Amino acid sequence: MVINKTMLALGFSALVFSSGALADGLTWQYMDARYQRPSGDGVHGTAGQVSVYASENWVLQGGVAYARLKENDPDLKISQTRFDVALGRVLNLGDRASALLSAGYTHLRYDTDVGDFSVDGRDHVANAQLVVRAALTQRFEAEGSIGVLFDDEDASDPLWNAGLRYRITPAVSVLLGANGIASDAFDSDDILYEAGFRFDLQQH
């Protein structure tokens, strides 16, 4: 059975834009979960974050991310676990857009196992990040971020994220995007594609 692609696209558009009014307001209070993987190699990752208002214009965030490299050799295992906490200031960019400028602390853990030989590493660094979100329609939201990890000696390569979010209900949304947040543990040239789910804890 052949389906006309134009009719299918028009039908989807009608479903998206005629599904009833949803709030355009962007809240920075939510729970977020993501699954990440590249297009061609064995890196897989997961990430989660909780974001809550500390006051009217300040946001407290905590998150954890895990990335694992799985090679053809079953004796080789490489993984990174990252814990973040940050305090950020909300910047109003208009009725349908806002940004969050934050800084905080990151704990990194690296684990490498080669057969019976194991090497563990720990790192304590500072983080800084700028996140921008814009409500394109009542259903669609674009978001992007750029950040850096740095210690007393140097700074990391820029850690970035970009994606398009679709709001299923006023509180529930899904994300398709790409990032380099976790891949710096393995290859800074890797791009991790991701799918995510977010539940807003507060609507404005």
Side-chain angles (χ1 to χ4, degrees):
M1 180 179 179
V2 178
I3 300 176
N4 186 291
K5 293 183 179 180
T6 302
M7 294 300 295
L8 184 61
L10 290 175
F12 177 75
S13 298
L15 175 64
V16 169
F17 294 108
S18 65
S19 300
L22 295 177
D24 284 331
L26 300 175
T27 177
W28 291 94
Q29 185 154 279
Y30 55 77
M31 295 185 297
D32 189 289
R34 306 183 184 200
Y35 172 75
Q36 304 159 333
R37 66 167 297 164
S39 58
D41 55 34
V43 180
H44 300 267
T46 56
Q49 184 183 61
V50 176
S51 179
V52 296
Y53 286 107
S55 66
E56 182 179 358
N57 294 313
W58 291 90
V59 172
L60 180 64
Q61 295 185 326
V64 59
Y66 175 80
R68 176 174 61 93
L69 174 62
K70 183 178 181 181
E71 296 281 10
N72 294 328
D73 184 353
D75 293 329
L76 176 61
K77 299 177 182 178
I78 303 173
S79 66
Q80 172 192 279
T81 306
R82 172 179 163 182
F83 300 93
D84 298 292
V85 62
L87 180 66
R89 171 76 176 183
V90 176
L91 308 174
N92 184 17
L93 303 180
D95 294 336
R96 302 169 66 88
S98 66
L100 181 69
L101 181 62
S102 65
Y105 163 79
T106 294
H107 172 70
L108 292 169
R109 173 177 175 176
Y110 307 97
D111 297 303
T112 303
D113 296 322
V114 183
D116 296 330
F117 180 74
S118 179
V119 177
D120 298 334
R122 305 290 186 272
D123 204 357
H124 305 272
V125 299
N127 66 64
Q129 182 174 241
L130 174 65
V131 184
V132 179
R133 300 169 57 195
L136 304 178
T137 70
Q138 293 175 337
R139 291 280 183 177
F140 284 101
E141 174 189 331
E143 63 180 53
S145 69
I146 186 166
V148 67
L149 304 179
F150 52 90
D151 55 24
D152 294 337
E153 297 180 358
D154 56 14
S156 70
D157 292 332
L159 307 176
W160 59 270
N161 171 280
L164 183 65
R165 186 173 298 280
Y166 174 70
R167 195 175 296 276
I168 301 172
T169 73
V172 178
S173 61
V174 293
L175 170 78
L176 290 177
N179 79 76
I181 293 177
S183 62
D184 59 300
F186 307 107
D187 186 343
S188 60
D189 294 329
D190 280 348
I191 295 177
L192 292 181
Y193 300 98
E194 62 183 1
F197 172 87
R198 176 176 290 172
F199 179 76
D200 289 345
L201 302 175
Q202 178 179 341
Q203 291 295 311
H204 292 307

